[in-house]
Amino acid sequence: MARITAGVATSHVPAIGAAVDLGKTKEDYWAPLFKGYEFSKQWIAEEKPDVIFLVYNDHATAFDMKFIPTFAIGCAERFGIADEGWGSRPVPEVIGHADLAWHMSQSIIQDDFDLTLINEMDVDHGLTVPLTLMYGQPEAWPVRVIPFAVNVVLYPPPSGRRCYNLGKAIRRAVESFDEDLNVQIWGTGGMSHQLQGPRAGLINKQFDADFMDRLVMEPNELADMPHVEYMREAGSEGVELVMWLIMRGALDDKVNELHRFYHVPASNTAVGHLILENSK
Amino acid sequence: MALDKPYKDIPGTTVFDSTKAREGYRLNQFFYSLMKAENRERFLADESAYLDESGISGEQKQAVLDRDYNRVISLGGNVYFFGKLFFTDEQSFEIGAASMTGMAPQEYRKMMVSGGRSVEGNRYIGEQD
C-alpha cells in the first residue's frame, strides 16, 4: 500500500525562486538561506519519494475572485508553470499523479472534507519554490506532485483544527491506495510576515520558534490557535501557517525531527523549514 | 447579530474579509487582469481608459493612478491582487511593501535585514499611546 513516510515544512517566498532563477544564490543576502537547505537536498536525494502531496496556496494566480475554493486538489496528469505577471519561472512542468489524486479525492470527500477538484491548472511560486528549495534546478522534477491548494487569501481560511483533521483524512486516503508508493506531504507558506499596510515587515522570531516546537511536540493543542492570534503575532499573511498543520496531521503523533532551519529575511518574510519523519 | 471580527484592533492591518472582498471585487479583478502581458501593455499605454473599462469606482481609480496602496487596501484591494501592479511597474514586492509603511526602500531593507519590524508595541491599536 501507499504510505506517508515524512513531512516537510517550508516557506515559499517568491523572491527565493527569483534568486535561484537569476543565479543570485551565492550573494551575501541569499547564501545563508540556501545553506539551510543543503541537508534537505541530500536527504531527499536519498529518500527518493515517489509522490509529494504538496499543500500550498495560490496567490491570485489560478484563482481570481470568481471562484474561491477553500480546499482544492489537483487531479490532472500535468500542471503548467504560471506566468504570475513577470513571465513563467524557468522550471520544469509539474507531473501529477492522477490515479492517486482521484482516489484521494473520493476518500477525503467521503471523510467529510468537501474538496474542489481541479483538472486544469497552472501552479505558481507557492508550489514551485518549495520544489526548487528541495531539488535545486533539475531538467525534470524527479517526483510526481499532487498540488493541494488552500485558501488563505480571503478571510477566513480554514481553522487550524480543520487543517489538522484534514491531514488525518489525507493519511487515510493515501493508505487506502493499493500501489506501493513512498509519499511525502509538504506544508508550505509562512512563517511570520505581513505584506500589507503600515505594519508591513512584521517578523516575530519568538512566535515562529514556539510554533515549530509546538508543531513537532503538541500539534493537537496547537491546532486550537485562533486565526486572530496568527495575524496579530505573526502578521496578516502569517496565517498561512495553518497549512503546516495539514502536513502535521498526516504524520504520526510522535515524529522524529530530522532538520530545522530558520532565517530572516527573504524579502518581507521569515523563512522556516522542518523535516519530520514517521518512525519506520 | 453581527459577525465577530476580533482582528479589527490590530494596528496598521486590514484583514481581507468578506466585507472588504465584496467592496473590492471589481478592483481586484482589474489587478488580476494585469497577469496577461497584453493587458499590462494596454494599461500602461492609457491607464485612465483601461481603468474606466474595469467598472471600479472613481475613488478606487484615483487610488490606483496614485499608486496609493494603503488607500487601495481601504477600498477593498488585496495585496496578492495589487501585487500584479507592482510587477507591471517592474517593482519588487519588497519595495511595494515598503511604500505602504512610509519608509524609504533602503530604510525598509535595513529594517528587514536587522530582523524585521518588532511585534512589541504593534499588537493592539493604541498600545503605543
Side-chain angles (χ1 to χ4, degrees):
Chain A
M1 81 181 184
R3 69 208 184 284
I4 293 179
T5 55
V8 172
T10 180
S11 305
H12 59 216
V13 184
I16 296 173
V20 173
D21 301 341
L22 299 172
K24 294 181 174 178
T25 58
K26 300 279 196 287
E27 290 182 5
D28 289 348
Y29 182 90
W30 290 110
L33 185 147
F34 291 103
K35 198 158 187 296
Y37 286 83
E38 280 173 15
F39 171 90
S40 316
K41 283 185 186 164
Q42 281 178 17
W43 171 78
I44 206 150
E46 287 161 19
E47 287 293 310
K48 295 186 181 64
D50 300 302
V51 183
I52 292 162
F53 191 88
L54 206 157
V55 180
Y56 77 111
N57 67 289
D58 178 84
H59 303 77
T61 306
F63 306 123
D64 59 2
M65 292 300 292
K66 283 198 212 104
F67 306 104
I68 308 169
T70 294
F71 295 123
I73 185 168
C75 296
E77 289 174 1
R78 54 193 64 226
F79 302 90
I81 307 302
D83 176 353
E84 298 176 52
W86 68 89
S88 301
R89 289 194 62 212
V91 295
E93 71 171 339
V94 170
I95 306 301
H97 197 304
D99 289 343
L100 177 59
W102 277 103
H103 163 90
M104 288 182 70
S105 68
Q106 181 159 336
S107 170
I108 293 168
I109 292 169
Q110 283 179 330
D111 229 339
D112 286 342
F113 290 88
D114 305 321
L115 306 183
T116 297
L117 275 60
I118 306 169
N119 288 305
E120 279 182 42
M121 177 173 70
D122 289 346
V123 289
D124 75 7
H125 69 267
L127 186 129
T128 61
V129 165
L131 289 172
T132 297
L133 280 167
M134 295 298 291
Y135 286 108
Q137 295 175 288
E139 287 288 309
W141 300 119
V143 66
R144 289 167 180 259
V145 178
I146 297 176
F148 191 86
V150 180
N151 165 51
V152 294
V153 172
L154 173 67
Y155 184 90
S159 70
R161 172 64 56 197
R162 182 108 178 116
C163 287
Y164 186 62
N165 289 340
L166 171 61
K168 294 180 181 304
I170 288 168
R171 180 177 187 153
R172 288 189 285 271
V174 168
E175 291 180 349
S176 59
F177 191 69
D178 280 339
E179 199 178 327
D180 191 21
L181 292 173
N182 175 358
V183 180
Q184 289 186 3
I185 181 164
W186 294 8
T188 72
M191 295 198 85
S192 55
H193 65 306
Q194 175 152 341
L195 302 176
Q196 53 109 0
R199 204 174 72 137
L202 186 107
I203 299 288
N204 189 338
K205 290 182 183 176
Q206 189 59 53
F207 176 93
D208 291 341
D210 291 346
F211 188 88
M212 287 201 270
D213 286 345
R214 298 185 67 198
L215 189 77
V216 176
M217 302 300 291
E218 48 172 44
N220 189 41
E221 290 74 13
L222 179 62
D224 285 330
M225 186 188 288
H227 287 137
V228 67
E229 191 172 336
Y230 289 88
M231 295 190 293
R232 195 184 304 283
E233 295 292 329
S236 48
E237 281 63 59
V239 76
E240 285 179 2
L241 284 167
V242 294
M243 294 187 289
W244 290 27
L245 280 161
I246 298 177
M247 176 277 282
R248 187 64 184 87
L251 301 178
D252 291 347
D253 290 344
K254 275 194 72 162
V255 289
N256 301 321
E257 180 181 326
L258 285 188
H259 183 55
R260 181 187 295 212
F261 175 66
Y262 185 72
H263 176 76
V264 177
S267 184
N268 303 287
T269 305
V271 172
H273 173 41
L274 285 170
I275 298 178
L276 307 177
E277 227 174 26
N278 279 338
S279 43
K280 298 207 168 155
Chain B
M1 207 175 81
L3 285 170
D4 184 24
K5 297 188 174 181
Y7 44 82
K8 287 285 194 184
D9 62 354
I10 305 176
T13 303
T14 304
V15 173
F16 187 61
D17 63 8
S18 54
T19 306
K20 299 316 290 179
R22 162 90 178 88
E23 189 182 355
Y25 178 71
R26 285 192 182 82
L27 180 61
N28 288 314
Q29 291 303 79
F30 148 69
F31 290 123
Y32 187 78
S33 74
L34 300 176
M35 290 262 288
K36 290 200 171 122
E38 63 263 33
N39 290 341
R40 293 197 286 275
E41 279 167 29
R42 232 161 42 79
F43 170 72
L44 290 172
D46 188 343
E47 297 195 5
S48 185
Y50 190 97
L51 288 167
D52 285 341
E53 287 171 26
S54 69
I56 63 175
S57 74
E59 277 181 302
Q60 290 171 329
K61 178 180 169 181
Q62 197 56 49
V64 173
L65 290 171
D66 295 343
R67 305 296 195 267
D68 181 346
Y69 291 113
N70 284 320
R71 185 86 182 122
V72 165
I73 291 170
S74 77
L75 298 170
N78 172 266
V79 66
Y80 293 117
F81 287 85
F82 66 74
K84 316 298 181 195
L85 184 51
F86 297 168
F87 302 136
T88 302
D89 289 337
E90 298 187 359
Q91 188 179 58
S92 73
F93 228 99
E94 187 182 61
I95 289 176
S99 80
M100 291 177 267
T101 66
M103 298 169 83
Q106 280 311 317
E107 194 189 352
Y108 183 82
R109 157 77 56 118
K110 202 170 147 195
M111 175 182 80
M112 294 315 299
V113 172
S114 312
R117 182 186 307 284
S118 172
V119 73
E120 298 306 327
N122 282 315
R123 289 184 172 94
Y124 294 92
I125 288 172
E127 209 179 347
Q128 283 174 322
D129 298 345

